[in-house]
Every structure is written in structure tokens, then in C-alpha cells.
Amino acid sequence: MKKISLFIPLLFFINFAFAANETQTVPVVIAEPGLGINQSELLILLLLIFAVILLVVAITLLKAFKVMYQQQLHPGIYQIPVPDKPLNYDDWLKQKKKGKSVWEKILSLKPIEQEKDLEIPHAYDGIKELDNPVPAWFNWLFFSTMFFAAAYLFYYHIGGYGDLQDQEYENEMARAKVEKAAYLEKSANAIDENSVKADNTPMVLAEGRTIFDANCQVCHGDKGQGIIGPNLTDDYWLHGGGVNNIFKTIKYGVPEKGMVSWEKTLNPKQISAVTNFILSLQGTNPVGAKAPQGEKYEAENPQDNEMKSAGDSTTTANATK
């Protein structure tokens, strides 16, 4: 064993000396871009790893030799293993861990051996009644409902911290109104010359009037009678009448006639509002109106381009769909 103990340090020293010798003999080269170390450093690293592996193997063998050496000095008595005697079912039950399982505790179950102790001293036609207690889980559930009812009563009715059904309904209606307005705002900005509809509601006309006064009355007059631009109150149009053509003319403009494009200045909702305001000027015949220009426009069915309410547009087939 002493020889083995001396051999391990000697082996490690030889490997270290060999690694040092390699550092002297191997020429130094420039480090490669991908590795970051030169060949001599890589060789030293591999030798150190190999030395560590040898050291681990040597220590493992040393421990094994120590056990073998101790066994030779103090040999033990070999004992034949004796198999355990198989137990019968009753003995096996006695060795089992006593006490109720979790399932038995939750359901308040009792073994069949205790059935005699649970019998109530009366019988009907040979049928006996057992005095089984209420399961623990049922009691906990019952008491938890009582606690919840008390907390609910205090939170909603006594303390007034929560909203009752009437208040919740009002809150939901208010949120729905805000969401509806946001949806209408988004859908209004998604219309174009093909999907625009005529809408003569006061709010739309008021918005259109404001936009017209700020941008259009310079050329068309404050009443649409026409100054530089054509008269907007008669039935004659240079580029087509109706909500679709007027929307298209405002959106893209007519550069060769001096009509600028308002697509980048006004959003689709604003263009729709001013379009509907111009339609509301039909037949007003203001004083000093320009003579008609263009061709007379007659819509095949003006109701096709009108906004329809939910009651007008919803039918049994649409509702089912």
C-alpha cells in the first residue's frame, strides 16, 4: 500500500514535468481566430485534463486496495443469508401502520369491525340502523357557506362596498355606451366612396356644417350657392350627384378644375359628414345662386344609399343569421 501511495504523486509529477517540457519544445504560434488559444496551450490543457482523470482513477483504485488489504488482515466470517419467513394475512395486517388514512378521515369511515358499536338499539323488520356521524368534509362545507353568507351580507348590503345588481346593470350599460361610441368611431373611419351612406341626423349635419364653413364656403359660398366653385343646391352636377359621387369628389378632388383632394386633410368620417351636409342643401335655392352646371342627376333609388336603423334593417332572416 505504501508503494501505491508513493506511486500516485510520482505519476502526477511525471505528467507535470512532461507538460512543462512540451511548453519549451513546442514553438509559439499565433492564436487562431476561432479558438483563442495556440497549439501549445491547447496541448497543456489536454495534458492537465488527462492528469486529473488519472488522479481520480488512482484515488479510486487506492480506496479499493485499502478495502482489500483490510479484508486480508482481518478476514470476516461468511454468513449464509437466511430468507425471511413469509407472513400470513393476519400477521401482515398487524404489522401495517395503524391509524386512519387521509381518505378515511375525510369521509369519517370506520372499519367493519366497529359496526356493532355503531348499532342503534332498535330494528324494523330485521333492519338495523347505524349511528354514522356526518362526514367532516360536509361539516366544513356547511360552515364555509355560513361564513361566505355573512361576508357577502356585510360586503354588499351592510358595508355597501360592492355594487348591487341595479348598479352593476347601470355600470355595464355605461361601459357598453363607451364601447359602442368607440366602435362607431372606428367603423366611421373605415368607410369609403363605395360604403358611405346618406345620414341626415342633426349631429352629422352639424359636424358637416362646421367642416363646410371652415373649408368649403370660400369657393362654394356660405349657403352652397357657388362662388368660384359650382352651385351645390341644385340638381345639376359636374362630376355626378348622390352620396357616393360627392364623397368621391371631395376625397380625391378634381385638380384640373381647382378642386383639391381632402383625403389627407379630413378623415373618412368628416368627409362623410360634409357630404351629407351638402346633400341637405338640395332644393334650398339661396339668393344669388349660380346657374346650374353639368348634368342633372337622378338616383335610381335614393333609399338604397340611406342609413337604416336597426328596426328597419333587422328581419327574421337577418336575426336568425
Side-chain angles (χ1 to χ4, degrees):
M1 295 303 296
K2 293 182 178 179
K3 294 181 178 180
I4 297 175
S5 301
L6 294 174
F7 173 75
I8 294 174
L10 181 60
L11 180 62
F12 181 76
F13 178 77
I14 293 173
N15 288 329
F16 181 79
F18 179 75
N21 188 25
E22 289 293 335
T23 58
Q24 296 176 0
T25 56
V26 177
V28 179
V29 295
I30 300 175
E32 298 180 2
L35 298 177
I37 57 176
N38 52 36
Q39 294 181 357
S40 61
E41 293 175 348
L42 180 61
L43 182 60
I44 293 173
L45 181 61
L46 293 176
L47 290 175
L48 289 176
I49 294 174
F50 182 71
V52 171
I53 295 175
L54 287 179
L55 181 60
V56 173
V57 173
I59 293 174
T60 305
L61 292 176
L62 178 61
K63 292 182 178 180
F65 290 153
K66 283 184 178 180
V67 174
M68 295 173 60
Y69 181 71
Q70 293 293 333
Q71 186 65 26
Q72 289 180 359
L73 294 178
H74 306 287
I77 301 175
Y78 177 74
Q79 296 179 356
I80 301 175
V82 179
D84 296 334
K85 183 180 178 181
L87 300 175
N88 54 29
Y89 182 72
D90 295 334
D91 296 335
W92 177 76
L93 287 178
K94 293 178 181 179
Q95 292 185 359
K96 284 186 63 178
K97 181 180 179 181
K98 296 183 179 180
K100 294 183 179 180
S101 62
V102 178
W103 183 252
E104 291 175 345
K105 291 180 180 179
I106 293 177
L107 298 181
S108 299
L109 299 178
K110 293 188 177 181
I112 193 66
E113 294 83 5
Q114 299 180 9
E115 183 176 348
K116 292 294 182 180
D117 301 334
L118 301 176
E119 291 182 358
I120 299 177
H122 63 262
Y124 299 95
D125 295 334
I127 301 174
K128 296 181 180 181
E129 183 180 0
L130 300 180
D131 186 14
N132 284 321
V134 179
W137 66 268
F138 187 86
N139 289 330
W140 283 107
L141 180 62
F142 175 71
F143 292 129
S144 63
T145 56
M146 296 177 61
F147 176 78
F148 177 79
Y152 183 91
L153 180 65
F154 176 79
Y155 184 80
Y156 285 98
H157 296 278
I158 299 177
Y161 298 105
D163 296 332
L164 298 179
Q165 292 183 351
D166 296 339
Q167 187 62 37
E168 287 184 354
Y169 173 76
E170 294 178 1
N171 296 339
E172 290 180 359
M173 293 300 294
R175 286 194 296 268
K177 187 176 181 180
V178 174
E179 294 176 357
K180 180 181 178 181
Y183 171 77
L184 292 177
E185 183 72 20
K186 182 178 179 180
S187 60
N189 288 326
I191 61 177
D192 56 11
E193 59 272 15
N194 298 317
S195 60
V196 64
K197 298 294 182 181
D199 187 0
N200 58 358
T201 56
M203 183 174 62
V204 174
L205 297 180
E207 182 182 2
R209 176 72 188 186
T210 303
I211 299 172
F212 183 88
D213 292 342
N215 302 282
C216 307
Q217 70 172 352
V218 176
C219 296
H220 296 280
D222 58 344
K223 298 178 182 179
Q225 70 273 18
I227 301 177
I228 301 174
N231 181 10
L232 302 178
T233 62
D234 54 27
D235 296 332
Y236 291 84
W237 300 89
L238 293 172
H239 308 288
V243 63
N244 301 99
N245 291 322
I246 298 175
F247 185 98
K248 183 178 180 181
T249 303
I250 298 173
K251 180 179 179 180
Y252 299 107
V254 187
E256 61 272 13
K257 297 285 185 69
M259 174 67 179
V260 300
S261 172
W262 295 95
E263 182 179 9
K264 297 181 179 180
T265 307
L266 303 176
N267 58 42
K269 180 184 176 184
Q270 293 173 328
I271 297 177
S272 175
V274 72
T275 300
N276 284 283
F277 173 73
I278 293 174
L279 288 176
S280 68
L281 298 177
Q282 299 295 299
T284 55
N285 299 321
V287 179
K290 291 183 66 175
Q293 294 175 280
E295 298 179 358
K296 186 175 182 179
Y297 176 81
E298 293 181 359
E300 296 180 358
N301 188 1
Q303 295 181 353
D304 293 340
N305 290 328
E306 292 181 357
M307 294 285 291
K308 296 181 180 180
S309 62
D312 297 332
S313 61
T314 303
T315 61
T316 303
N318 293 334
T320 305
K321 184 177 179 181

